[in-house]
Amino acid sequence: MSIDDLRAKRYLPAILAGLLLLAAGAGAAEQPDGGDDVVLRAMRDELERTMKELRLEDLSRPYFVAYRVDEKEELSVAASFGSPLEREHGRRRWLEVEVRVGDRMLDNTNFLSFPSFGGASFGGFGGIAELPLDDDYRELRRQIWLATDSAYKSALEDLAKKKAALENKTRTEELADFSQEEPAEVRDEHPRPAFDDEAVSALVTELSAVFRRLEAVYASQVSCRVAVVRTRYVNSEGTTYERVAPLTHLLAWASTQAADGMRLEDFESFYGRSPADLPPADVLTARVTALGKRLDELRSAQLIERYNGPVLFAGQAAAELFAQVFAPKLLARRQPVTSDQRLASLVQGGGEGGDFTDRVGARVLPRFLSVTDDPTAGEIDGMPLLGGYKVDDQGVLARPTPVIERGYLKRLLTSRTPVTGIDKSSGHFRGGGVAPSNLIVRAAQGLSPEELKQELLSLVADRGGEYGVIVTRLDNPRM
């Protein structure tokens, strides 16, 4: 059946399926499965109906379906120089549907094409829909069905396009589109933060007023975001998880201008599960004041026209350098099948310099460095870590993953999309793609700050230089 035939036959099955849904909903509303959680009941009941009944004539049934509902409450506050800029407190709920047709070896995902209405779309992203905040069982099921129906038809269309594209390509390697993983049932819940709008607003306004006393600061803003996301997830393999993930982020940013016109800016960032986890007000004030003083010093600092020599990255700069430049290469990214050469060129030219897919087993760091990604770690050396979780967004259990041992790359961080040499997930699919969690770098023979400085000076002397450069802070474009 052609794509045009598929489009022409959408309406009657949709009407019939809708009638079936109403009949099923009427019977299920009395004693639906899933306990007291109305949202989870609706997700499970609709998943069961989908796997049993969803099919268009002689076309493929879904072999995998997943529903994820995120419910987010967020307080966002901002102020500048002691004057409030915004305060928003809202709540929303949305659904993400993943529908796969075909089989694990070849399905509708990992595919990029130009849709008929222009632009580009990735196959396999499924449907996204806003859900009502009221726990209305029938309305929730209706919205889930509508999103599933749309995702299923798109999946069939993408699979047809993908098969057509593959007929004109020579495949040098047969990689499955989806890995087989063990089902899991997990609850990963942290205490909900207190949403004290007045207290958070007062803190942000007071901190922003600190910049009034700092004449070197030309522009500034202090903002705070307090959020909690409750996630419910079910899939057709039997995986279910519920997660409550709170996060508080306080950001102080300021900028100035040097005498030659160069723009200078810096920031201080603080994280916690709730506002109570932030440093005391006097500590925050001291850090914001120090931020302004750093900018004042930069304004009068001598400009280096040209430097060719060793550079030592220390403190925050070292962590930012690793996170921004090296860490993205540890994430396995698979090039999707494309229906157009222009898209192929776009995909190959994008990204952040590519990953280390072809470097597994090779040395990528000095021998004294090892790297482990550990989403199960709650702290390191007494410092609390906020990047952890018990299960990733695809329902794969979290576990420590040794990435680099004594400088040698052992494996990449992966999702359920296999890549060359890695056919299983490491449990690192989050936020729509592969992402690190708590990335821990350890040195077998570390040096003290003073010893590092002496090593820098020794390298400078070997090159006949007059001075070396120590970088202690780096900007974060994502901040």
Side-chain angles (χ1 to χ4, degrees), residues 88 94 147 296 318 324 372 393 405 431 461:
E88 297 181 359
W94 67 95
D296 192 23
Q324 295 182 32
T372 299
D393 288 356
E405 294 180 358

Side-chain angles (χ1 to χ4, degrees), residues 152-172:
Y152 173 56
K153 291 165 183 173
S154 296
L156 290 173
E157 188 170 336
D158 285 336
L159 181 58
K161 288 182 179 180
K162 183 177 180 180
K163 288 181 176 179
L166 288 173
E167 290 179 357
N168 300 318
K169 297 180 182 294
T170 301
R171 304 179 71 182
T172 58

Side-chain angles (χ1 to χ4, degrees), residues 36 200 242 293 306 352 364:
D36 295 331
V200 173
E242 296 180 66
K293 291 182 177 179
R306 183 176 180 181
E352 302 179 52
V364 295

Side-chain angles (χ1 to χ4, degrees), residues 112-128:
L112 181 62
S113 69
F114 283 119
S116 57
F117 51 81
S121 66
F122 279 96
F125 270 48
I128 300 177

Side-chain angles (χ1 to χ4, degrees), residues 2-328:
S2 69
I3 293 174
D4 290 336
D5 292 335
L6 171 60
R7 288 172 177 159
K9 298 188 179 206
R10 285 186 174 183
Y11 302 103
L12 182 58
I15 294 172
L16 293 175
L19 294 174
L20 286 173
L21 172 63
L22 291 176
E30 297 178 2
Q31 291 182 329
D33 180 32
D36 295 331
D37 190 329
V38 176
V39 177
L40 194 56
R41 288 205 312 263
M43 294 168 66
R44 287 174 172 168
D45 292 348
E46 192 55 33
L47 179 64
E48 181 179 4
R49 187 204 68 82
T50 293
M51 297 307 295
K52 287 181 179 179
E53 302 177 15
L54 184 58
R55 185 173 188 177
L56 285 179
E57 296 191 355
D58 57 345
L59 298 177
S60 301
R61 292 179 180 273
Y63 80 88
F64 176 87
V65 175
Y67 295 143
R68 170 177 167 158
V69 173
D70 286 312
E71 188 171 323
K72 183 177 185 179
E73 182 177 3
E74 182 176 53
L75 168 64
S76 180
V77 180
S80 179
F81 293 112
S83 298
L85 294 177
E86 67 174 34
R87 186 170 83 177
E88 297 181 359
H89 191 167
R91 178 170 163 248
R92 62 186 294 249
R93 177 188 284 170
W94 67 95
L95 163 75
E96 293 185 21
V97 178
E98 181 181 5
V99 175
R100 292 175 179 259
V101 294
D103 55 42
R104 295 186 186 278
M105 285 303 300
L106 178 62
D107 64 23
N108 53 291
T109 65
N110 305 312
F111 173 66
L112 181 62
S113 69
F114 283 119
S116 57
F117 51 81
S121 66
F122 279 96
F125 270 48
I128 300 177
E130 193 87 11
L131 292 182
L133 293 174
D134 294 334
D135 291 342
D136 185 322
Y137 175 79
R138 291 193 181 188
E139 179 60 19
L140 288 170
R141 284 201 62 178
R142 188 179 78 87
Q143 293 293 339
I144 295 172
W145 174 80
L146 289 172
T148 305
D149 177 72
S150 176
Y152 173 56
K153 291 165 183 173
S154 296
L156 290 173
E157 188 170 336
D158 285 336
L159 181 58
K161 288 182 179 180
K162 183 177 180 180
K163 288 181 176 179
L166 288 173
E167 290 179 357
N168 300 318
K169 297 180 182 294
T170 301
R171 304 179 71 182
T172 58
E173 184 178 18
E174 291 289 336
L175 286 175
D177 279 330
F178 200 49
S179 68
Q180 180 74 54
E181 306 290 344
E182 291 295 324
E185 294 187 17
V186 179
R187 294 185 70 91
D188 184 8
E189 300 182 351
H190 295 274
R192 293 176 61 87
F195 285 87
D196 190 335
D197 296 29
E198 296 299 329
V200 173
S201 296
L203 174 64
V204 168
T205 302
E206 290 172 8
L207 286 176
S208 71
V210 172
F211 290 115
R212 283 182 178 176
R213 306 191 296 268
L214 305 172
E215 296 181 358
V217 175
Y218 290 177
S220 69
Q221 181 173 303
V222 177
S223 61
C224 185
R225 183 173 66 91
V226 182
V228 59
V229 180
R230 179 180 182 182
T231 300
R232 304 168 176 91
Y233 176 92
V234 296
N235 72 27
S236 55
E237 296 173 330
T239 290
T240 299
Y241 70 79
E242 296 180 66
R243 180 166 59 215
V244 176
L247 181 67
T248 295
H249 179 206
L250 177 67
L251 173 66
W253 167 89
S255 70
T256 188
Q257 188 173 330
D260 60 0
M262 179 183 291
R263 180 182 175 87
L264 305 169
E265 59 183 51
D266 201 351
F267 69 94
E268 286 284 353
S269 198
F270 309 89
Y271 291 90
R273 294 286 182 193
S274 73
D277 296 331
L278 297 175
D282 58 338
V283 175
L284 293 173
T285 300
R287 293 277 293 273
V288 171
T289 303
L291 164 59
K293 291 182 177 179
R294 286 200 304 268
L295 287 174
D296 192 23
E297 293 172 355
L298 282 174
R299 293 180 67 202
S300 57
Q302 181 180 355
L303 181 65
I304 299 177
E305 295 294 340
R306 183 176 180 181
Y307 177 77
N308 184 359
V311 177
L312 172 62
F313 289 86
Q316 183 265 359
E320 285 287 355
L321 180 69
F322 192 91
Q324 295 182 32
V325 177
F326 194 83

